[in-house]
mmCIF file of all heavy atoms in Angstrom:
data_model
loop_
_atom_site.group_PDB
_atom_site.id
_atom_site.type_symbol
_atom_site.label_atom_id
_atom_site.label_comp_id
_atom_site.label_asym_id
_atom_site.label_seq_id
_atom_site.Cartn_x
_atom_site.Cartn_y
_atom_site.Cartn_z
ATOM 1 N N ARG A 69 13.114 17.963 6.624
ATOM 2 C CA ARG A 69 13.584 18.886 7.702
ATOM 3 C C ARG A 69 13.684 20.293 7.152
ATOM 4 O O ARG A 69 13.220 21.202 7.852
ATOM 5 C CB ARG A 69 15.013 18.416 8.154
ATOM 6 C CG ARG A 69 15.516 19.311 9.376
ATOM 7 C CD ARG A 69 16.936 19.128 9.495
ATOM 8 N NE ARG A 69 17.678 19.552 8.219
ATOM 9 C CZ ARG A 69 18.963 19.281 8.021
ATOM 10 N NH1 ARG A 69 19.687 18.539 8.871
ATOM 11 N NH2 ARG A 69 19.481 19.645 6.913
ATOM 12 N N ASN A 70 14.283 20.489 6.039
ATOM 13 C CA ASN A 70 14.452 21.834 5.492
ATOM 14 C C ASN A 70 13.102 22.518 5.241
ATOM 15 O O ASN A 70 12.976 23.686 5.489
ATOM 16 C CB ASN A 70 15.223 21.779 4.201
ATOM 17 C CG ASN A 70 16.676 21.430 4.428
ATOM 18 O OD1 ASN A 70 17.179 21.445 5.528
ATOM 19 N ND2 ASN A 70 17.383 21.067 3.373
ATOM 20 N N VAL A 71 12.103 21.770 4.786
ATOM 21 C CA VAL A 71 10.778 22.388 4.546
ATOM 22 C C VAL A 71 10.111 22.727 5.834
ATOM 23 O O VAL A 71 9.626 23.896 6.002
ATOM 24 C CB VAL A 71 9.882 21.417 3.722
ATOM 25 C CG1 VAL A 71 8.519 21.986 3.675
ATOM 26 C CG2 VAL A 71 10.433 21.260 2.324
ATOM 27 N N ILE A 72 10.109 21.886 6.819
ATOM 28 C CA ILE A 72 9.477 22.092 8.099
ATOM 29 C C ILE A 72 10.177 23.253 8.859
ATOM 30 O O ILE A 72 9.483 24.046 9.439
ATOM 31 C CB ILE A 72 9.354 20.847 8.968
ATOM 32 C CG1 ILE A 72 8.579 19.726 8.257
ATOM 33 C CG2 ILE A 72 8.864 21.160 10.314
ATOM 34 C CD1 ILE A 72 8.493 18.461 8.951
ATOM 35 N N GLN A 73 11.456 23.269 8.796
ATOM 36 C CA GLN A 73 12.193 24.259 9.592
ATOM 37 C C GLN A 73 11.959 25.698 9.015
ATOM 38 O O GLN A 73 12.240 26.720 9.735
ATOM 39 C CB GLN A 73 13.661 23.994 9.649
ATOM 40 C CG GLN A 73 14.007 22.826 10.567
ATOM 41 C CD GLN A 73 15.450 22.609 10.807
ATOM 42 O OE1 GLN A 73 16.300 23.205 10.058
ATOM 43 N NE2 GLN A 73 15.813 21.858 11.880
ATOM 44 N N GLN A 74 11.361 25.829 7.865
ATOM 45 C CA GLN A 74 11.086 27.209 7.419
ATOM 46 C C GLN A 74 9.993 27.812 8.284
ATOM 47 O O GLN A 74 9.966 29.095 8.472
ATOM 48 C CB GLN A 74 10.556 27.121 5.920
ATOM 49 C CG GLN A 74 11.622 26.760 4.971
ATOM 50 C CD GLN A 74 11.083 26.582 3.556
ATOM 51 O OE1 GLN A 74 9.968 27.067 3.315
ATOM 52 N NE2 GLN A 74 11.816 25.877 2.659
ATOM 53 N N SER A 75 9.169 27.008 8.830
ATOM 54 C CA SER A 75 8.083 27.611 9.708
ATOM 55 C C SER A 75 8.291 27.143 11.206
ATOM 56 O O SER A 75 7.674 27.767 12.062
ATOM 57 C CB SER A 75 6.650 27.201 9.242
ATOM 58 O OG SER A 75 6.555 25.790 9.150
ATOM 59 N N ASP A 76 9.037 26.047 11.326
ATOM 60 C CA ASP A 76 9.299 25.543 12.758
ATOM 61 C C ASP A 76 10.786 25.280 12.868
ATOM 62 O O ASP A 76 11.221 24.157 12.670
ATOM 63 C CB ASP A 76 8.502 24.222 12.864
ATOM 64 C CG ASP A 76 8.632 23.638 14.300
ATOM 65 O OD1 ASP A 76 9.325 24.233 15.170
ATOM 66 O OD2 ASP A 76 8.106 22.584 14.464
ATOM 67 N N PRO A 77 11.607 26.326 13.205
ATOM 68 C CA PRO A 77 13.062 26.198 13.224
ATOM 69 C C PRO A 77 13.543 25.121 14.258
ATOM 70 O O PRO A 77 14.655 24.614 14.061
ATOM 71 C CB PRO A 77 13.510 27.587 13.666
ATOM 72 C CG PRO A 77 12.370 28.477 13.278
ATOM 73 C CD PRO A 77 11.124 27.683 13.472
ATOM 74 N N SER A 78 12.768 24.785 15.204
ATOM 75 C CA SER A 78 13.283 23.819 16.304
ATOM 76 C C SER A 78 12.899 22.351 15.930
ATOM 77 O O SER A 78 13.248 21.508 16.795
ATOM 78 C CB SER A 78 12.587 24.222 17.638
ATOM 79 O OG SER A 78 12.992 25.462 18.057
ATOM 80 N N PHE A 79 12.323 22.111 14.765
ATOM 81 C CA PHE A 79 11.986 20.752 14.420
ATOM 82 C C PHE A 79 13.274 19.946 14.314
ATOM 83 O O PHE A 79 14.265 20.330 13.757
ATOM 84 C CB PHE A 79 11.226 20.731 13.037
ATOM 85 C CG PHE A 79 11.078 19.310 12.575
ATOM 86 C CD1 PHE A 79 10.027 18.573 13.021
ATOM 87 C CD2 PHE A 79 11.888 18.788 11.635
ATOM 88 C CE1 PHE A 79 9.778 17.214 12.562
ATOM 89 C CE2 PHE A 79 11.691 17.484 11.120
ATOM 90 C CZ PHE A 79 10.634 16.707 11.604
ATOM 91 N N SER A 80 13.306 18.723 14.816
ATOM 92 C CA SER A 80 14.470 17.845 14.917
ATOM 93 C C SER A 80 14.079 16.531 14.283
ATOM 94 O O SER A 80 13.156 15.867 14.611
ATOM 95 C CB SER A 80 14.855 17.660 16.352
ATOM 96 O OG SER A 80 15.758 16.556 16.494
ATOM 97 N N ARG A 150 1.474 19.329 2.996
ATOM 98 C CA ARG A 150 0.831 20.350 3.812
ATOM 99 C C ARG A 150 -0.333 20.924 2.968
ATOM 100 O O ARG A 150 -0.215 21.160 1.806
ATOM 101 C CB ARG A 150 1.848 21.477 4.092
ATOM 102 C CG ARG A 150 1.194 22.585 5.010
ATOM 103 C CD ARG A 150 2.363 23.594 5.491
ATOM 104 N NE ARG A 150 2.877 24.327 4.328
ATOM 105 C CZ ARG A 150 4.210 24.630 4.272
ATOM 106 N NH1 ARG A 150 5.061 24.180 5.033
ATOM 107 N NH2 ARG A 150 4.580 25.312 3.114
ATOM 108 N N GLU A 155 -0.532 19.635 8.366
ATOM 109 C CA GLU A 155 0.705 19.130 7.744
ATOM 110 C C GLU A 155 0.849 17.699 8.126
ATOM 111 O O GLU A 155 0.480 17.359 9.264
ATOM 112 C CB GLU A 155 1.912 20.015 8.071
ATOM 113 C CG GLU A 155 2.202 20.143 9.623
ATOM 114 C CD GLU A 155 3.390 21.009 9.916
ATOM 115 O OE1 GLU A 155 4.124 21.340 8.975
ATOM 116 O OE2 GLU A 155 3.516 21.450 11.074
ATOM 117 N N ARG A 196 -0.490 17.415 12.233
ATOM 118 C CA ARG A 196 -0.685 18.404 13.182
ATOM 119 C C ARG A 196 -1.174 19.642 12.425
ATOM 120 O O ARG A 196 -1.065 19.704 11.222
ATOM 121 C CB ARG A 196 0.591 18.717 13.998
ATOM 122 C CG ARG A 196 1.738 19.389 13.189
ATOM 123 C CD ARG A 196 2.914 19.775 14.081
ATOM 124 N NE ARG A 196 3.947 20.397 13.268
ATOM 125 C CZ ARG A 196 5.035 20.848 13.831
ATOM 126 N NH1 ARG A 196 5.307 20.679 15.081
ATOM 127 N NH2 ARG A 196 5.927 21.399 13.017
ATOM 128 N N ASN A 199 1.455 25.676 11.144
ATOM 129 C CA ASN A 199 2.050 26.720 11.903
ATOM 130 C C ASN A 199 2.271 26.359 13.400
ATOM 131 O O ASN A 199 2.453 27.327 14.270
ATOM 132 C CB ASN A 199 1.244 28.006 11.827
ATOM 133 C CG ASN A 199 1.071 28.451 10.432
ATOM 134 O OD1 ASN A 199 2.085 28.453 9.646
ATOM 135 N ND2 ASN A 199 -0.064 28.998 10.044
ATOM 136 N N ARG A 200 2.250 25.128 13.695
ATOM 137 C CA ARG A 200 2.568 24.687 15.112
ATOM 138 C C ARG A 200 4.078 24.803 15.284
ATOM 139 O O ARG A 200 4.877 24.640 14.371
ATOM 140 C CB ARG A 200 2.166 23.250 15.401
ATOM 141 C CG ARG A 200 0.674 23.103 15.183
ATOM 142 C CD ARG A 200 -0.200 23.961 15.993
ATOM 143 N NE ARG A 200 -0.112 23.708 17.416
ATOM 144 C CZ ARG A 200 -0.841 24.364 18.289
ATOM 145 N NH1 ARG A 200 -1.739 25.320 17.948
ATOM 146 N NH2 ARG A 200 -0.782 24.065 19.600
ATOM 147 N N GLN A 201 4.549 25.004 16.492
ATOM 148 C CA GLN A 201 6.005 25.100 16.826
ATOM 149 C C GLN A 201 6.374 24.032 17.760
ATOM 150 O O GLN A 201 5.688 23.738 18.786
ATOM 151 C CB GLN A 201 6.263 26.468 17.438
ATOM 152 C CG GLN A 201 6.015 27.670 16.535
ATOM 153 C CD GLN A 201 6.930 27.716 15.353
ATOM 154 O OE1 GLN A 201 8.191 27.676 15.508
ATOM 155 N NE2 GLN A 201 6.453 27.830 14.155
ATOM 156 N N THR A 202 7.499 23.385 17.460
ATOM 157 C CA THR A 202 7.988 22.316 18.249
ATOM 158 C C THR A 202 8.143 22.617 19.754
ATOM 159 O O THR A 202 7.760 21.890 20.657
ATOM 160 C CB THR A 202 9.306 21.761 17.678
ATOM 161 O OG1 THR A 202 9.109 21.287 16.437
ATOM 162 C CG2 THR A 202 9.888 20.655 18.585
ATOM 163 N N ASP A 203 8.687 23.815 20.015
ATOM 164 C CA ASP A 203 8.991 24.237 21.395
ATOM 165 C C ASP A 203 7.923 25.146 22.051
ATOM 166 O O ASP A 203 8.137 25.714 23.053
ATOM 167 C CB ASP A 203 10.308 24.946 21.476
ATOM 168 C CG ASP A 203 11.416 23.988 21.131
ATOM 169 O OD1 ASP A 203 11.304 22.817 21.350
ATOM 170 O OD2 ASP A 203 12.485 24.490 20.649
ATOM 171 N N GLN A 204 6.720 25.182 21.468
ATOM 172 C CA GLN A 204 5.728 26.022 22.015
ATOM 173 C C GLN A 204 5.226 25.440 23.332
ATOM 174 O O GLN A 204 5.267 24.250 23.555
ATOM 175 C CB GLN A 204 4.554 26.219 21.075
ATOM 176 C CG GLN A 204 3.645 25.014 20.911
ATOM 177 C CD GLN A 204 2.507 25.302 19.963
ATOM 178 O OE1 GLN A 204 2.721 25.715 18.832
ATOM 179 N NE2 GLN A 204 1.291 25.013 20.450
ATOM 180 N N ASP A 236 0.592 18.957 19.002
ATOM 181 C CA ASP A 236 1.757 18.336 18.391
ATOM 182 C C ASP A 236 1.322 17.266 17.424
ATOM 183 O O ASP A 236 0.142 17.131 17.044
ATOM 184 C CB ASP A 236 2.756 17.790 19.442
ATOM 185 C CG ASP A 236 4.159 17.927 19.013
ATOM 186 O OD1 ASP A 236 4.469 18.086 17.802
ATOM 187 O OD2 ASP A 236 4.994 17.773 19.910
ATOM 188 N N TRP A 237 2.260 16.404 17.010
ATOM 189 C CA TRP A 237 2.008 15.345 15.959
ATOM 190 C C TRP A 237 1.099 14.249 16.551
ATOM 191 O O TRP A 237 1.246 13.822 17.657
ATOM 192 C CB TRP A 237 3.303 14.711 15.546
ATOM 193 C CG TRP A 237 4.245 15.682 14.875
ATOM 194 C CD1 TRP A 237 5.379 16.304 15.479
ATOM 195 C CD2 TRP A 237 4.117 16.193 13.556
ATOM 196 N NE1 TRP A 237 5.950 17.061 14.510
ATOM 197 C CE2 TRP A 237 5.238 17.096 13.406
ATOM 198 C CE3 TRP A 237 3.267 16.078 12.440
ATOM 199 C CZ2 TRP A 237 5.431 17.761 12.185
ATOM 200 C CZ3 TRP A 237 3.475 16.709 11.342
ATOM 201 C CH2 TRP A 237 4.531 17.605 11.161
#
Side-chain angles (χ1 to χ4, degrees):
R69 180 199 62 194
N70 290 345
V71 172
I72 295 178
Q73 285 188 347
Q74 292 177 16
S75 57
D76 182 5
S78 297
F79 175 80
S80 164
R150 184 172 65 221
E155 55 184 346
R196 69 177 180 179
N199 299 321
R200 304 302 292 184
Q201 297 293 307
T202 298
D203 292 333
Q204 73 180 54
D236 214 343
W237 299 102

